[in-house]
């Protein structure tokens, strides 16, 4: 795809597999539906892809990399949210539009890295 940001391709900050559930859409509460998601932090956005491992062989196509959804991190809020789940290592991301996601990993170091990296992007955008 063509570069944006005045011709500068946004920097890939981080990518990896996390468990994800959306819990609110525009401030309206949703029923939880946890599933593994390939998460990519690039530029000002967190982009979610279907977990490749959860796809059937027939759904494997080269270039089949259409994101499921994407979150604008400008003005977003990040909080540890272990009280919102029976799972460990859960944080909540809330967008300015009132969409809320829980993200989770069984691996403590991994989820801490994600939290720190996303918070750094949010802080950078707050200063702009
Ligand atoms: C939900 C499911 C979720 C669980 C949620 C349950 O049940 O077990 O995994 O969230 O708990 O309601 P269902 O599949 O019937 O929708 P956690 O795994 O995050 O605890 P909750 O309602 O207490 O949030």
């Amino acid at each position: 795809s063509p570069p944006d940001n005045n011709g500068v391709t946004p920097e890939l900050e981080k990518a990896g597999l996390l468990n994800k559930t959306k819990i609110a859409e525009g401030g309206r509460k949703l029923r939880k539906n946890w599933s593994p998601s390939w998460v990519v932090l690039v530029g000002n956005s967190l982009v979610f892809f279907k977990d490749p491992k959860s796809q059937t062989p027939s759904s494997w196509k080269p270039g089949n990399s259409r994101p499921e959804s994407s979150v604008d991190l400008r003005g977003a809020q990040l909080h540890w949210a272990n009280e919102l789940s029976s799972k460990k290592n859960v944080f909540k991301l809330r967008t300015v539009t009132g969409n809320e996601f829980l993200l989770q990993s069984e691996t403590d170091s991994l989820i801490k890295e994600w939290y720190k990296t996303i918070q750094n992007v949010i802080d950078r955008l707050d200063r702009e």
Side-chain angles (χ1 to χ4, degrees):
S1 59
D4 51 18
N5 294 347
N6 306 313
V8 178
T9 302
E11 190 188 347
L12 175 68
E13 309 257 9
K14 198 168 177 57
L17 199 60
L18 293 175
N19 293 315
K20 183 198 79 170
T21 182
K22 192 173 187 179
I23 59 165
E25 165 88 40
R28 251 189 75 190
K29 198 168 180 279
L30 296 175
R31 184 165 179 184
K32 273 183 185 166
N33 182 19
W34 285 102
S35 62
S37 180
W38 183 256
V39 185
V40 178
L41 180 55
V42 60
N44 304 345
S45 298
L46 201 60
V47 187
F48 301 120
F49 295 84
K50 270 193 181 153
D51 171 19
K53 289 201 287 287
S54 75
Q55 294 181 35
T56 61
S58 60
S59 71
W60 266 107
K61 299 183 203 84
N64 186 7
S65 58
R66 193 165 47 89
E68 256 188 328
S69 60
S70 153
V71 167
D72 182 3
L73 292 174
R74 192 178 294 274
Q77 295 179 334
L78 198 62
H79 297 286
W80 289 109
N82 287 313
E83 77 284 3
L84 294 183
S85 176
S86 61
K87 301 181 196 302
K88 69 169 191 173
N89 297 336
V90 174
F91 62 71
K92 182 171 86 171
L93 178 65
R94 186 186 193 283
T95 68
V96 280
T97 56
N99 294 343
E100 297 184 355
F101 300 86
L102 299 183
L103 293 168
Q104 188 266 348
S105 168
E106 290 301 310
T107 309
D108 299 15
S109 56
L110 201 146
I111 200 72
K112 280 179 190 155
E113 275 301 314
W114 271 103
Y115 187 95
K116 196 169 66 182
T117 310
I118 294 171
Q119 189 62 61
N120 283 344
V121 172
I122 292 171
D123 290 345
R124 166 170 61 76
L125 293 169
D126 280 348
R127 289 193 302 269
E128 278 181 11

